[in-house]
Amino acid sequence: MQRLLNNPDDLVDETVAGFVKAHRDLVHLSPDNARVVVSNFAPKAGRVGIVTGGGSGHEPAFIGYAGRNLVDAVAVGEIFSSPTAKSFADAIRAADGGAGVAVLYGNYAGDNMNVKMAARMATKEGIDVATVVANDDVCSAPTTEREKRRGVAGEIFMWKIGGAKAATGASLAEVQAAAQKAIDACRSVGVGLGPCTLPAVGHPNFAIAPGTMEVGIGHHGEPGTRVELLKPANDVADDMLKIVMDDHALPAGSEVAVLVSGLGATSVNELYVLYDRIETGLTALGMKVHSALVGNYFTSLEMVGATLTVMALDDELKALFDTDCACAAL
Amino acid sequence: MEDFSSRKLIDLFRLIAVRMSDARRELGALDGAIGDADHGNSMAEGFAAIVRAIAADDDRPPAEVMLLAGQSFLSAVGATTGPLYASAMLAAANGLDGKTTVSAADVAGLVPAFADGIAKRGHARPGDKTMMDAWAPAARAVLEAEKAGLAPIVRLSRARAAAIAGRDDTRAMMAAVGRAASLGPRSLGHIDPGAASAVIIIAALHEWLHAQRPPVPEKAQ
């Protein structure tokens, strides 16, 4: 495919450079680390700081969620590759307002290791660090092994709730508990219709045969649970909703927040087509949609496909969800 | 063979950095098949960062050189590679604690120390198609050769052979942990780039120790 690129090795640095220029009202680059994007509203004295980070290629995640009452500092990795422990540590330092820092990130081997090492470095310097690991991707492991599930677009809801809780002046333990509650209330699923290509590699890292789709695909092309013939959008939406809601088991009358995100190369029209059917299905199940996000919120380069995330809301989560915030992505 | 000063340890890291830089493209190509094609760059840059950090001062005791090596690698390299090799060097630093010089046996002992640090951080098992598939057999080879009373240089040549065999075995493995695990069966048929770079480190240890033999006196004319 044709791309707008300079040297592929410079892609991440140039992305970050353009991002901080375009959104200078919200964020800036850390003066200490060119792979750390810091909210202009951070750190806030006496408030818990919120940090996340992950590989690049998922824009607007992760940098797009730095802002007011959201993420305070983001560690930026290479494409689909965890940031360094130093970048996570520098993000923690940048977010620290003296009340501790909550690192809210996704369940991947590299991120787990680097966050753990960064947390140890920051703790040695006297910063209290708590972590919450997102594991909302239903198809990446069975319910009985939830700790093995990967984190995907549900992370956005986790950041929103965590950031809102921190804005209330809550303690580190309270912010951690709210973020954990948020991700525990999230279930996500992805469908892939076409692969993506890492620019430095030059060929797709997996194949999806024309006319087929992969149900349960991960954010980096991790294999799904089944490959089947591509169906009309309504049938795909029904499948996605069934996977998420079967795992969720919510009582009728529950209120939910819904996120339908494109994976990078699916038109926004198609995402609304999916959402139309998804909301119809949710209503039929007795769910009440409190809020919906439809668009490219968490992508995978130019993968074709979409993800669905449903978060169950109780009164606390609903109030936090509705907290005013500002960032480039929302 | 005389023991080595910290200055020589810096020299050893310099050789690993050169060999890693030589292999940059080859590792990138291996990683391009099942990963993000940056393993060559990140390993070369990681070891270059080590050399920059430790070369500034050759008066540090060996354990401190190794500790600084681990810290600078961790600052330069992300993914799982950064923490795994940082843990390897930390384990090696613990083994060198209190020493003022490094013996040939200590150099061979870096292999099991690295393997131990990587295993404790990464929890990968043999057959998971990771760098451990080279490090674990290499570590076993060093320990067995040591038990058999073989010289450090022989321990390292056995480690090198075991690591190469382990690396080649990864071709038939399906990735179970680490980033290539995301490909599942799609990872079959490809050598693991982490196992390939492990061989480069182990081979460089052997090459370096081999080059430290006392010079053969020239024949009188």
Side-chain angles (χ1 to χ4, degrees), chain B residues 27-163:
Chain B
L27 289 173
L30 285 178
D31 194 26
I34 56 171
D36 58 1
D38 76 343
H39 191 63
N41 283 339
S42 51
M43 289 301 282
E45 280 157 24
F47 278 96
I50 289 177
V51 172
R52 277 197 303 277
I54 64 178
D57 177 2
D58 55 18
D59 281 340
R60 294 184 189 90
E64 276 184 36
V65 172
M66 197 55 80
L67 197 62
L68 186 56
Q71 286 163 351
S72 39
F73 195 89
L74 188 65
S75 296
V77 182
T80 51
T81 313
L84 289 172
Y85 277 113
S87 304
M89 292 170 206
L90 190 67
N94 288 336
L96 296 173
D97 207 20
K99 298 194 178 191
T100 52
T101 58
V102 173
S103 67
D106 290 333
V107 175
L110 291 177
V111 174
F114 271 39
D116 191 43
I118 294 165
K120 285 198 174 120
R121 171 70 53 189
H123 308 291
R125 288 161 306 183
D128 282 348
K129 197 183 184 96
T130 69
M131 60 172 79
M132 274 318 283
D133 289 308
W135 280 108
R140 268 198 308 277
V142 167
L143 297 174
E144 279 165 16
E146 189 182 348
K147 210 181 272 175
L150 298 168
I153 188 70
V154 181
R155 295 175 208 168
L156 281 177
S157 71
R158 300 241 169 133
R160 183 175 168 276

Side-chain angles (χ1 to χ4, degrees), chain A residues 18-57:
Chain A
F19 182 83
V20 297
K21 278 181 186 162
H23 304 290
R24 54 168 63 88
D25 55 323
L26 291 166
V27 295
H28 60 277
L29 204 55
S30 158
D32 308 318
N33 188 327
R35 290 298 176 88
V36 175
V37 171
V38 185
S39 161
N40 292 349
F41 307 89
K44 270 207 172 121
R47 294 268 172 87
V48 171
I50 304 289
V51 161
T52 192
S56 294

Side-chain angles (χ1 to χ4, degrees), chain A residues 9 78-86 109-111 113-114 116-117 120-121 198 200-201 203 205-207 214 220-224, chain B residues 31-38 41 74-80 82-84 86-87 90 121-122 178-179 181-186:
Chain A
D9 290 342
E78 296 294 328
I79 302 279
F80 288 2
S81 189
S82 169
T84 62
K86 180 177 193 300
D111 296 310
M113 286 186 202
N114 285 295
K116 201 176 282 180
M117 296 189 93
R120 193 175 306 153
M121 294 178 206
L198 286 103
V201 179
H203 59 83
N205 58 350
F206 60 99
E214 193 154 330
H220 312 89
E222 293 92 336
Chain B
D31 194 26
I34 56 171
D36 58 1
D38 76 343
N41 283 339
L74 188 65
S75 296
V77 182
T80 51
L84 289 172
S87 304
L90 190 67
R121 171 70 53 189
R179 56 166 310 135
S182 66
L183 298 177
R186 295 165 190 149

Side-chain angles (χ1 to χ4, degrees), chain A residues 150-175:
Chain A
R150 298 180 293 258
V152 284
E155 290 181 51
I156 295 167
F157 288 157
M158 172 176 73
W159 301 326
K160 195 163 188 334
I161 299 298
K165 188 72 181 181
T168 66
S171 70
L172 180 59
E174 288 165 342
V175 171

Side-chain angles (χ1 to χ4, degrees), chain A residues 37-173:
Chain A
V37 171
V38 185
S39 161
N40 292 349
F41 307 89
K44 270 207 172 121
R47 294 268 172 87
V48 171
I50 304 289
V51 161
T52 192
S56 294
H58 300 297
E59 286 69 17
F62 296 76
I63 48 180
Y65 297 91
R68 183 169 54 80
N69 293 349
L70 260 160
V71 176
D72 292 308
V74 179
V76 179
E78 296 294 328
I79 302 279
F80 288 2
S81 189
S82 169
T84 62
K86 180 177 193 300
S87 293
F88 273 116
D90 286 340
I92 292 169
R93 292 176 187 117
D96 177 40
V101 174
V103 186
L104 315 179
Y105 68 101
N107 193 18
Y108 297 91
D111 296 310
N112 279 323
M113 286 186 202
N114 285 295
V115 167
K116 201 176 282 180
M117 296 189 93
R120 193 175 306 153
M121 294 178 206
T123 305
K124 266 191 204 157
E125 295 164 21
I127 303 174
D128 286 337
V129 180
T131 59
V132 179
V133 187
N135 53 354
D136 51 308
D137 192 359
V138 170
C139 290
S140 53
T143 323
T144 48
E145 295 177 291
R146 264 204 85 191
E147 75 287 350
K148 286 189 182 168
R149 286 183 177 175
R150 298 180 293 258
V152 284
E155 290 181 51
I156 295 167
F157 288 157
M158 172 176 73
W159 301 326
K160 195 163 188 334
I161 299 298
K165 188 72 181 181
T168 66
S171 70
L172 180 59

Side-chain angles (χ1 to χ4, degrees), chain B residues 213-221:
Chain B
R213 291 168 307 166
V216 180
E218 282 182 42
K219 274 186 195 161
Q221 293 291 320

